[in-house]
Amino acid sequence: MKPDTIVLIHGFWVTPRSWEHWITRYEARGFRVLAPAYPGFEVEVEALNADPSPIERVTVPQIIESLETLIRGLENPPIIMGHSAGGVFTQILLDHGFGAAGVAINSAPTEGVQVIPLSQIKATFPVLKNPANRHKAVGFTYDQWRYAFTNTFPEEEARATYERYHIPASGHIFWGSALANIHPGKDDNWVNYHNDQRKPLLFIAGEHDNLMPPKIQRSNAKHYKAAGTLTEVVEYPGRAHLMPAEKGWEEIADHALDWALKHAG
């Protein structure tokens, strides 16, 4: 039975509002579309900017637990799509046995992916420059957003997305992810790359993504070693990090869904 539900997982510095175009398009194709917020993020962008305390409190285990609870309540396994940090959560959910297929769009890396392009260092410097940020919610200035999220956008569109979508991100989670490869044991972004029960997974990369460049997507995909599992990577030329809102997003949304429907198991 083909999936009838799509779960869209947002990343850091944005909320489910960043999926607004995809929600409308997928609903028009007859799918039930769920775009859950992280725990505590169930308010508007403006409210989180005014009071970022929910961002400071949230943890990865809380996020995963809330997503697993949501999916357990569905009648059939959904297609799971995640952007940026949501790509990590998509991978974790697939590893935990959830979903019929997964799509990770400009995904942050899971544990063990050690590629760190220079553009990523520059894009994440506002968070990682100060260890005190581990206990804060850290926002981007417009110029920082422009570099990390919308470097290929026309100026007017870049400013509009900043005003409509931007919120601070969890310094605690971001620092934990950055240090995952030097910590002993499993960190919050760990997945079993040898899980031969994992459902099909597509990585979508943007050629000019400064925050999570294609090198990260390709390296992440290559870590999956289990025989019999399907892992593919597609790169879109000329694209930035915020692909769900970039001009021409329709092509990406359609390809993601068509691929997932074709390979869902």
Side-chain angles (χ1 to χ4, degrees):
M1 185 175 185
K2 289 293 184 181
D4 59 3
T5 302
I6 302 167
V7 176
L8 301 174
I9 307 172
H10 68 90
F12 293 162
W13 287 287
V14 296
T15 72
R17 185 187 286 182
S18 62
W19 289 115
E20 58 186 340
H21 304 309
W22 293 44
I23 293 170
T24 301
R25 192 168 186 85
Y26 288 159
E27 287 179 341
R29 290 184 59 171
F31 289 88
R32 180 187 184 192
V33 185
L34 305 175
Y38 300 162
F41 288 46
E42 300 90 352
V43 296
E44 295 295 343
V45 166
E46 295 77 10
L48 285 170
N49 279 311
D51 177 15
S53 57
I55 301 171
E56 296 171 354
R57 291 193 296 264
V58 74
T59 67
V60 171
Q62 288 173 345
I63 294 169
I64 296 300
E65 181 181 2
S66 69
L67 292 168
E68 291 183 349
T69 298
L70 172 71
I71 296 173
R72 280 195 197 97
L74 300 176
E75 187 173 342
N76 299 308
I79 293 168
I80 304 173
M81 299 185 188
H83 174 246
S84 196
V88 170
F89 304 146
T90 296
Q91 293 180 65
I92 293 171
L93 290 168
L94 291 182
D95 183 42
H96 290 182
F98 293 90
V103 181
I105 303 163
N106 287 339
S107 181
T110 44
E111 185 173 344
V113 179
Q114 299 183 349
V115 174
I116 307 176
L118 289 176
S119 68
Q120 186 189 44
I121 295 173
K122 180 177 178 179
T124 58
F125 185 70
V127 182
L128 300 178
K129 67 180 179 181
N130 185 352
N133 286 339
R134 295 184 68 170
H135 309 290
K136 298 178 181 178
V138 185
F140 279 150
T141 65
Y142 168 69
D143 287 341
Q144 291 164 346
W145 168 271
R146 186 89 163 96
Y147 181 81
F149 273 71
T150 57
N151 51 300
T152 63
F153 286 42
E155 178 69 19
E156 184 176 349
E157 292 178 16
R159 286 195 175 276
T161 60
Y162 181 70
E163 294 171 4
R164 182 154 181 77
Y165 300 135
H166 171 266
I167 63 169
S170 166
H172 170 73
I173 294 177
F174 210 86
W175 267 87
S177 175
L179 298 175
N181 289 323
I182 61 174
H183 281 161
K186 300 174 183 177
D187 277 88
D188 290 338
N189 62 341
W190 183 88
V191 296
N192 177 12
Y193 295 120
H194 299 276
N195 179 0
D196 60 7
Q197 301 301 308
R198 196 217 69 207
K199 297 300 184 180
L201 173 60
L202 173 66
F203 287 89
I204 296 180
E207 178 191 13
H208 297 311
D209 182 354
N210 286 329
L211 185 60
M212 300 296 169
K215 285 182 180 179
I216 293 176
Q217 316 304 310
R218 290 193 291 268
S219 178
N220 203 154
K222 287 179 180 177
H223 276 68
Y224 285 99
K225 305 294 186 183
T229 59
L230 176 64
T231 308
E232 293 186 359
V233 183
V234 61
E235 181 177 330
Y236 278 87
R239 304 287 180 165
H241 186 68
L242 194 62
M243 280 203 287
E246 189 170 7
K247 185 177 180 180
W249 60 266
E250 297 93 341
E251 177 188 1
I252 300 167
D254 288 347
H255 178 74
L257 180 53
D258 291 344
W259 187 96
L261 289 171
K262 178 180 178 181
H263 298 290

